[in-house]
Amino acid sequence: MKPNPKDFRVDALSKLRGEARYIRDERILGLWHGLTVRSPHPRARIISIDFDDAFKWQNVTVVTAQDVPNNYVAMIEKDMPVLAEKIVNYVGEPVALIAAPSPELAMEAREHLHVQYKPLPFIDDPLQAEQSDIKLYGSNNVFKEIRIERGDLDEAEKTADKVVELEVRTGFQEHVYLEPQGMIAIPENDRIVVKGSLQCPYYVKNALNEIFKGLRDITVVHATTGGAFGGKEDFPSLLAAHAALLAYKSGHPVAIFYDRREDIQFTTKRHPSVSKNKVYVDAEGKLVGLDIEFYLDSGAYVTLSPVVLARAALTISGCYYIPNVRIVAKAVATNTVPSGAFRGFGGPQAIFTMEMIMEELAQKLKMDAHRVREINLIDEGQTTATGQVLKYSVSNKQTFYDVLERSNYQQKLNKYRQWNEPILERLKQGRYPKRHPDDVLKGIGLSVFLHGAGFTGGGENRIKGKLRIEINDNGQPVIYSAQTEMGQGQQTAFRKILADALAVDIEQILLADVNTDLVPNSGPTVASRSTMVVGSLITDIGREMIKKFLEELKQEYGFPFEYRTGYFYGGDMVLPFRQVAQKHAGLIFEKEYRHPPFIKFDEQNWKGDAYPVYSWAAAVAETEVDPITFNIKVTRYYTTHEIGKAINYDQSIAQIQGGSLQGIGYAIYEKLERQNGHLNVHGFVDYIIPTTVDMPFMDIKILENPYPFGPFGAKGLGELPLVGAAPAVVSSLRMIFSLPINKIPVMPEDLFELAQILRKNGGQP
Ligand code: MTE
Ligand code: MOS
């Protein structure tokens, strides 16, 4: 398909030309530079902070816990301090801040600031957290526990022909946005203005309001943001607090810019997960029961873990119909940098877990991996684990069959099995596995996944996102929202939604700068909610606007008008939209979001409509594994996504490409581990992400099954592609070796070990 210039991203040119201003592009007179003094221990008592006399402290500003008016970062809870006061709970936890006229002087000052610690025992393993004598949170270190129960597992046990048990693990993942975290705070009389690379301006504003309660007013401005992926959802509240405190105490504007090492080691990551799973099936392979104990390793403070956990628990069994279910999910504390939001928000961990359960079943029942999935797929009219009846826009089977057909799955499966046979045979016999340079093992695997758009449960009704559209003096509608562009295409989507709703050119629509003094709180830019949730307010207001103008025209001329294709027709008059709108310059339209009233969720018992609707997808991954080096390459990746309606087709494809590749990285490249409380990566030397050369051939199809309450039927898209990529890749590796692989990332050394098992046991696990 040829690109249509009308579909270009509205932010593309300014970014390509280097005109877009990122936070590091700000030129502010008298700007000071801030840095952070961090704990070198996973857990320790702070004994003292000493200022070395050899340094001239009057030239710099130092902030410690004593200087913080209210020392907590308001998020779901208030447990995380802005600066540690008595105890540090993770390696890198901020203890003090220094600002100076130059970065060099600030670094020099840091050399002369001596913090003494008494190291304490710490929690290193999420499975040990509950029993540990070390108490990081409450009596058992559980930040949040969720139980989802349906039917009766005893019943499942009675009717089942087979019970399969397995443990599944997923690792950390780092966002690797192009632009590391950065923030500038500017003191202005009674106000502090904070500007930075961030997703959720009102989260930052609320957090700073609590810290400076009554002392300063707060304004938050969104700078052009070079990627976020959830990593700039909660963390910027802490960074903004640091910059603001330095600005408050020094009286100077202060910037804090993280370098890559600091960003990788000390900002949020994707939560690692561990789960113990038991699954009951009948003789045909139909699921009769599922029993899951699921843990998220949440790090030292609560941050967003309860909601990440909720999404994981509500996602796990989503694609399959299972009559008896028990999911016990816990977010537990460890002495590690707090994990936070990351594209998929618990979904990738959950779907990987469920898809490995299906893989294990297939192997134990000696069925094909796609067949076990096929007979268990949930469909319209059926009920999920929370008792939600899926009523509309359900495309689980459509995406599944479409991707199998387009990828030629069945034929390739047979072909690759045959192809692999002699190579595997030589491996088993311990002989040199290659007769020919092209002797690589070929895998094909699949995954089925979904993502609920918008906040979980009653979240949207609590937050009541507000949107405002104003007509400017030129008769152009200006959209005022707190939604932020971070590369996902929100600016293009918003302008296009209103342009289409009014049947005018996209150039006619403007967006207000995201500044909390100007824009209403439409909620955070998370949970793939901008297009579906906030976008629905845009179409609602668009309709209201036309209705209002039609009424006004009738009043003015005394006869009715009609609106079509951007023009008002009445009598023998034809008035373009802009001409009519111009007469209403200054007119304001506002609207607040509510879910359709029949969507109900009981947050005490975890019952009901967890999400108003789901986006659905399935993927097929093909891989090649070198039988000597065990190097893994994803060669082809097919995926079908059903997203209600693609607001901008090219951009939707790009989201699916990027998200899928990020999921491939999660599966086979990105390894980040905790060793003695320290994270073991420092930058791109030891944290490997897929690059263009690792990009497989991708074949993407978008299906549209409109959601009646989304703008033009659109549902959420941004996170979905990442959610199911890793299990598809691992499924293809399991297909090659016919052995359990239940953890990601999978590295060549893991496959080497599998080959050793093959060799020892002649293929028996
Ligand atoms: N795509 C790009 N290019 N950059 C990003 O930072 N963030 C993802 C996804 N796609 C991200 C992205 C995440 S975490 C979310 S929640 C959604 O976009 C948000 O998009 P939406 O609210 O506009 O739908
Ligand atoms: Mo996205 S993880 O919800 O910011």
Side-chain angles (χ1 to χ4, degrees):
M1 204 182 292
K2 253 203 162 144
N4 176 358
K6 279 214 175 287
D7 282 343
F8 283 177
R9 294 177 58 127
V10 297
D11 55 336
L13 274 185
S14 71
K15 284 177 177 168
L16 285 172
R17 289 179 175 145
E19 291 160 1
R21 279 154 64 99
Y22 296 82
I23 193 64
R24 283 165 179 75
D25 298 325
E26 292 293 332
R27 292 293 166 260
I28 295 171
L29 208 62
L31 182 67
W32 279 33
H33 293 268
L35 55 73
T36 315
V37 178
R38 300 178 180 281
S39 161
H41 303 288
R43 192 156 180 270
R45 185 173 303 285
I46 300 173
I47 305 291
S48 63
I49 301 180
D50 303 316
F51 295 77
D52 184 338
D53 288 341
F55 186 78
K56 291 203 183 76
W57 292 101
Q58 63 271 24
N59 296 336
V60 303
T61 295
V62 179
V63 168
T64 63
Q66 273 75 43
D67 300 303
V68 190
N70 298 293
N71 191 7
Y72 59 85
V73 184
M75 243 173 261
I76 292 174
E77 294 194 18
K78 298 177 175 176
D79 63 322
M80 184 165 83
V82 178
L83 290 170
E85 191 179 353
K86 295 189 176 104
I87 301 261
V88 286
N89 279 310
Y90 65 91
V91 170
E93 179 161 7
V95 174
L97 306 163
I98 302 173
S102 74
E104 293 74 21
L105 188 61
M107 281 190 276
E108 196 188 323
R110 180 158 56 185
E111 298 299 309
H112 294 275
L113 191 78
H114 304 296
V115 186
Q116 286 194 43
Y117 299 92
K118 178 180 185 296
L120 298 171
F122 58 96
I123 303 177
D124 207 19
D125 177 351
L127 292 181
Q128 302 294 314
E130 266 179 289
Q131 281 76 40
S132 176
D133 294 335
I134 303 161
K135 302 297 175 204
L136 304 184
Y137 184 86
S139 60
N140 60 357
N141 297 318
V142 176
F143 288 141
K144 175 85 180 174
E145 176 170 342
I146 293 171
R147 294 177 80 88
I148 298 175
E149 283 181 282
R150 166 194 204 183
D152 182 357
L153 279 180
D154 293 338
E155 193 53 39
E157 191 147 14
K158 270 183 236 150
T159 46
D161 287 283
K162 212 168 181 103
V163 185
V164 171
E165 290 185 53
L166 72 157
E167 189 181 288
V168 178
R169 284 178 184 259
T170 63
F172 281 107
Q173 189 179 20
E174 158 60 28
H175 307 85
V176 205
Y177 24 69
L178 278 175
E179 179 203 23
Q181 304 268 359
M183 200 71 66
I184 293 179
I186 305 159
E188 285 180 1
N189 303 326
D190 302 339
R191 180 176 295 276
I192 299 172
V193 178
V194 166
K195 189 166 185 180
S197 184
L198 52 91
Q199 281 176 250
C200 312
Y202 275 94
Y203 279 4
V204 175
K205 180 172 163 118
N206 293 343
L208 296 199
N209 271 343
E210 298 247 346
I211 293 165
F212 291 98
K213 209 175 288 167
L215 296 169
R216 288 291 182 277
D217 289 332
I218 304 295
T219 299
V220 179
V221 183
H222 174 249
T224 304
T225 292
F229 306 108
K232 293 169 186 171
E233 174 169 343
D234 48 327
F235 190 81
S237 296
L238 180 65
L239 186 57
H242 289 169
L245 284 163
L246 285 169
Y248 176 66
K249 191 167 176 188
S250 71
H252 298 283
V254 177
I256 305 183
F257 298 144
Y258 283 2
D259 63 18
R260 187 62 69 176
R261 188 188 77 84
E262 200 171 20
D263 199 299
I264 282 195
Q265 293 208 316
F266 309 130
T267 73
T268 55
K269 324 251 150 281
R270 186 185 300 292
H271 295 73
S273 75
V274 191
S275 59
K276 295 169 180 173
N277 310 284
K278 203 166 172 184
V279 57
Y280 303 87
V281 284
D282 70 11
E284 277 102 72
K286 278 211 162 190
L287 297 164
V288 292
L290 179 68
D291 189 2
I292 293 185
E293 214 182 308
F294 182 88
Y295 292 86
L296 282 184
D297 177 349
S298 304
Y301 297 106
V302 175
T303 67
L304 297 171
S305 293
V307 275
V308 175
L309 184 77
R311 187 177 277 279
L314 293 165
T315 299
I316 286 190
S317 60
C319 289
Y320 302 104
Y321 175 73
I322 315 167
N324 305 293
V325 180
R326 177 170 63 204
I327 299 164
V328 179
K330 294 175 190 174
V332 295
T334 54
N335 286 105
T336 321
V337 59
S339 280
F342 194 146
R343 199 173 193 176
F345 211 77
Q349 295 94 319
I351 294 289
F352 183 76
T353 303
M354 190 65 209
E355 290 298 278
M356 288 311 108
I357 292 174
M358 300 312 274
E359 288 287 321
E360 191 80 13
L361 269 185
Q363 278 175 8
K364 290 275 151 66
L365 299 173
K366 304 212 179 340
M367 289 172 76
D368 281 345
H370 65 289
R371 188 61 198 140
V372 170
R373 288 176 171 86
E374 184 181 10
I375 60 175
N376 287 296
L377 292 177
I378 204 164
D379 205 354
E380 199 163 303
Q382 285 185 314
T383 312
T384 69
T386 60
Q388 174 171 16
V389 183
L390 299 174
K391 294 194 202 82
Y392 37 71
S393 200
V394 183
S395 307
N396 201 24
K397 292 194 168 167
Q398 287 82 344
T399 52
F400 176 80
Y401 288 117
D402 185 79
V403 85
L404 287 192
E405 192 187 311
R406 285 192 307 110
S407 62
N408 219 343
Y409 176 88
Q410 183 71 63
Q411 208 188 338
K412 285 178 182 164
L413 181 67
N414 299 339
K415 203 168 102 187
Y416 295 170
R417 275 187 180 144
Q418 264 181 13
W419 169 274
N420 290 342
E421 235 171 66
I423 306 174
L424 286 170
E425 196 48 44
R426 293 197 286 277
L427 266 182
K428 282 178 196 167
Q429 294 169 4
R431 285 162 44 208
Y432 190 71
K434 283 190 171 184
R435 289 240 168 98
H436 187 275
D438 290 343
D439 277 354
V440 289
L441 294 160
K442 294 188 182 189
I444 187 164
L446 77 164
S447 69
V448 180
F449 48 111
L450 84 174
H451 196 74
F455 277 128
T456 301
E460 291 294 345
N461 288 347
R462 258 198 306 280
I463 203 141
K464 300 188 188 93
K466 289 167 213 43
L467 186 85
R468 186 166 79 241
I469 300 182
E470 253 180 72
I471 308 292
N472 75 4
D473 290 346
N474 298 323
Q476 288 166 298
V478 186
I479 303 175
Y480 288 77
S481 90
Q483 301 316 116
T484 52
E485 176 65 62
M486 46 183 167
Q488 86 279 35
Q490 171 268 337
Q491 294 183 337
T492 312
F494 272 26
R495 288 176 63 180
K496 184 137 195 297
I497 290 169
L498 189 57
D500 288 356
L502 300 174
V504 299
D505 261 5
I506 194 165
E507 290 79 30
Q508 299 281 333
I509 311 295
L510 302 178
L511 285 178
D513 288 345
V514 179
N515 171 324
T516 53
D517 290 351
L518 301 175
V519 299
N521 187 356
S522 53
T525 305
V526 303
S528 309
R529 64 186 287 282
S530 302
T531 296
M532 184 179 103
V533 172
V534 187
S536 76
L537 296 176
I538 300 179
T539 46
D540 286 353
I541 291 181
R543 268 192 297 273
E544 215 176 283
M545 196 181 286
I546 298 298
K547 201 171 138 221
K548 169 92 181 153
F549 291 173
L550 285 170
E551 279 164 13
E552 298 278 329
L553 285 169
K554 192 173 167 191
Q555 279 269 305
E556 192 179 342
Y557 293 96
F559 49 80
F561 279 71
E562 218 185 281
Y563 188 68
R564 266 182 287 126
T565 58
Y567 294 89
F568 292 90
Y569 295 85
D572 55 4
M573 297 205 315
V574 183
L575 307 172
F577 173 86
R578 187 147 168 187
Q579 190 183 325
V580 175
Q582 205 157 10
K583 283 201 237 165
H584 298 281
L587 194 63
I588 292 174
F589 297 85
E590 280 175 319
K591 188 129 207 264
E592 210 174 270
Y593 183 83
R594 287 293 143 68
H595 274 331
F598 51 85
I599 290 173
K600 297 214 156 64
F601 192 68
D602 168 357
E603 289 184 2
Q604 253 65 56
N605 303 302
W606 298 90
K607 292 243 177 294
D609 303 310
Y611 299 94
V613 72
Y614 299 86
S615 299
W616 303 88
V620 166
E622 291 186 44
T623 47
E624 288 183 359
V625 174
D626 184 299
I628 294 171
T629 62
F630 295 94
N631 206 31
I632 310 163
K633 188 165 172 55
V634 180
T635 53
R636 294 190 190 85
Y637 189 82
Y638 300 84
T639 185
T640 302
H641 275 54
E642 192 280 291
I643 57 169
K645 161 88 189 163
I647 295 295
N648 178 314
Y649 178 82
D650 290 346
Q651 200 167 280
S652 302
I653 294 286
Q655 279 290 293
I656 299 172
Q657 289 171 332
S660 302
L661 193 62
Q662 212 165 16
I664 289 170
Y666 186 39
I668 59 170
Y669 296 111
E670 302 182 30
K671 189 167 187 169
L672 201 172
E673 287 177 334
R674 174 181 39 219
Q675 287 164 359
N676 251 329
H678 294 252
L679 296 184
N680 67 350
V681 302
H682 307 85
F684 297 133
V685 175
D686 40 19
Y687 192 72
I688 308 299
I689 59 165
T691 65
T692 41
V693 295
D694 306 303
M695 179 81 174
F697 163 79
M698 272 196 195
D699 192 335
I700 294 165
K701 176 126 171 224
I702 293 175
L703 301 181
E704 298 185 334
N705 182 357
Y707 165 52
F709 307 97
F712 303 102
K715 302 188 280 190
L717 163 65
E719 296 167 277
L720 179 67
L722 199 158
V723 173
V729 172
V730 176
S731 165
S732 78
L733 299 173
R734 294 185 62 131
M735 172 262 162
I736 295 176
F737 292 96
S738 306
L739 286 172
I741 306 174
N742 293 324
K743 67 149 196 69
I744 41 173
V746 185
M747 294 284 158
E749 50 271 33
D750 300 314
L751 297 185
F752 174 78
E753 270 177 31
L754 288 187
Q756 300 309 306
I757 295 176
L758 285 184
R759 187 172 300 180
K760 274 197 209 105
N761 311 335
Q764 294 308 309

